[in-house]
Amino acid sequence: MASTQKSYHTKATGAALATAEKHAASNSLTLYGSCFCPFVQRVWIALEAKDMEYQYVEVDPYKKPESLLAVNPRGLVPALRHGDWGCYESTVLMEYLEDLNGMRLLPKHPRGRATSRLWADHINRHIVPQFYRVLQAQETDKQAEHAVELKTQIEKLVDAADANGPFFMGADLGFVDVQIAPWILRLRRVLGPYRGWPDPEPGTRWAKWVDALEGNEHVKATTSTDELYLDSYERYAENRPNTSQVANAVNSGRGLP
Ligand SMILES: N[C@@H](CCC(=O)N[C@@H](CS)C(=O)NCC(=O)O)C(=O)O
């Protein structure tokens, strides 16, 4: 990494900082997180949406403090300590919170629960890794190729969503929304500036979903200012685009529905 490049932040900013400060007091339920990490944001949104009491502890996963290693021997965030027990992996932690707390993100009906888990799996297998492929590709042709594949995978998710929305299962924020929200936020804040990812077409189901997530109080409460994300991903992204090749490739043919 060139010495002039910015590094990741070690403290949240904006609304996320206010939420972190509100949850600074010691609690038997503790989230070890890092302000830039989208996997952490999943668990953080779930804690907020469920209105749970918890402590938020900012840690640097690249320095791996003992407090983090004690919960997650791999030293990755998010990690959750609950009393004398701890666990990690963002999707597993969301399931754990689901089992603990009355306010559910998963629907009641077994079929709705299975459908939510199916699409959460799609996000983890096909959308999250593809997001990083777009970001890490340095040649414009490769960026465009990966961006089209990312659009295809997002399109499958949008096609499976409730027709009216605005959220995946309908009127309320649910499990699939929380799973994808951190990466949807980073499309505009990171893939836009670094790769030319286009904003949603107004009036589409996709635009309605993005707007609903951006406007959700729990998503907003765990989101830092745009600059934090821009700085945090600079070391992966390196160059900003000087062409509109990615936007043209994503918008050509069928755009996001
Ligand atoms: N599959 C994990 C991924 C967590 C992850 O990759 N966290 C990153 C920060 S965004 C991390 O802790 N990186 C530290 C490292 O790679 O050493 C999850 O869903 O929780």
Side-chain angles (χ1 to χ4, degrees):
M1 183 166 64
S3 59
T4 50
Q5 278 187 324
K6 288 176 187 165
S7 188
Y8 54 95
H9 287 233
T10 51
K11 191 176 178 187
T13 60
L17 176 60
T19 305
E21 284 171 349
K22 211 166 103 191
H23 291 276
S26 164
N27 194 286
S28 64
L29 186 63
T30 305
L31 172 63
Y32 293 93
S34 306
C35 55
F36 57 84
C37 176
F39 301 96
V40 167
Q41 196 177 4
R42 283 176 165 172
V43 182
W44 205 5
I45 296 170
L47 285 163
E48 283 291 308
K50 289 164 173 287
D51 200 18
M52 296 177 87
E53 292 195 4
Y54 66 93
Q55 179 185 12
Y56 177 86
V57 176
E58 181 78 29
V59 289
D60 183 343
Y62 302 108
K63 300 215 170 116
K64 304 197 187 301
E66 270 311 314
S67 56
L68 174 62
L69 287 169
V71 182
N72 181 357
R74 293 162 61 197
L76 301 188
V77 288
L80 194 75
R81 176 177 279 288
H82 199 185
D84 60 2
W85 174 88
C87 197
Y88 48 92
E89 279 298 322
S90 57
T91 304
V92 174
L93 297 181
M94 280 184 57
E95 292 269 4
Y96 177 64
L97 297 180
E98 206 55 24
D99 289 340
L100 278 187
N101 178 272
M103 189 298 200
R104 302 267 177 244
L105 289 166
L106 283 167
K108 274 210 184 86
H109 198 284
R111 290 181 189 176
R113 298 167 76 80
T115 302
S116 297
R117 291 184 171 116
L118 179 71
W119 289 105
D121 184 65
H122 175 82
I123 293 164
N124 283 327
R125 275 179 206 266
H126 301 296
I127 295 182
V128 170
Q130 197 59 31
F131 176 96
Y132 295 107
R133 280 183 203 119
V134 180
L135 198 61
Q136 283 172 339
Q138 298 302 317
E139 291 157 27
T140 319
D141 285 357
K142 277 276 165 223
Q143 291 167 4
E145 195 182 298
H146 289 312
V148 169
E149 179 58 21
L150 177 60
K151 177 191 93 169
T152 303
Q153 298 304 337
I154 293 175
E155 196 175 313
K156 290 181 192 166
L157 189 66
V158 178
D159 284 341
D162 179 84
N164 295 318
F167 293 107
F168 184 78
M169 298 293 273
D172 302 316
L173 184 84
F175 198 87
V176 175
D177 302 297
V178 178
Q179 284 268 309
I180 187 90
W183 285 273
I184 290 191
L185 298 180
R186 285 159 178 76
L187 288 177
R188 178 176 73 67
R189 291 163 177 78
V190 179
L191 279 199
Y194 286 124
R195 293 292 175 261
W197 179 268
D199 286 338
E201 272 302 306
T204 56
R205 176 67 183 86
W206 170 233
K208 196 174 180 181
W209 194 14
V210 173
D211 287 349
L213 287 173
E214 288 278 1
N216 178 268
E217 57 177 314
H218 310 303
V219 173
K220 287 205 284 197
T222 58
T223 301
S224 285
T225 50
D226 289 5
E227 199 191 16
L228 180 143
Y229 303 107
L230 207 57
D231 294 346
S232 303
Y233 290 87
E234 189 173 0
R235 62 212 171 101
Y236 299 106
E238 291 178 20
N239 301 315
R240 293 192 185 217
N242 52 13
T243 76
S244 47
Q245 196 171 333
V246 166
N248 291 340
V250 170
N251 286 332
S252 74
R254 189 191 169 210
L256 279 164

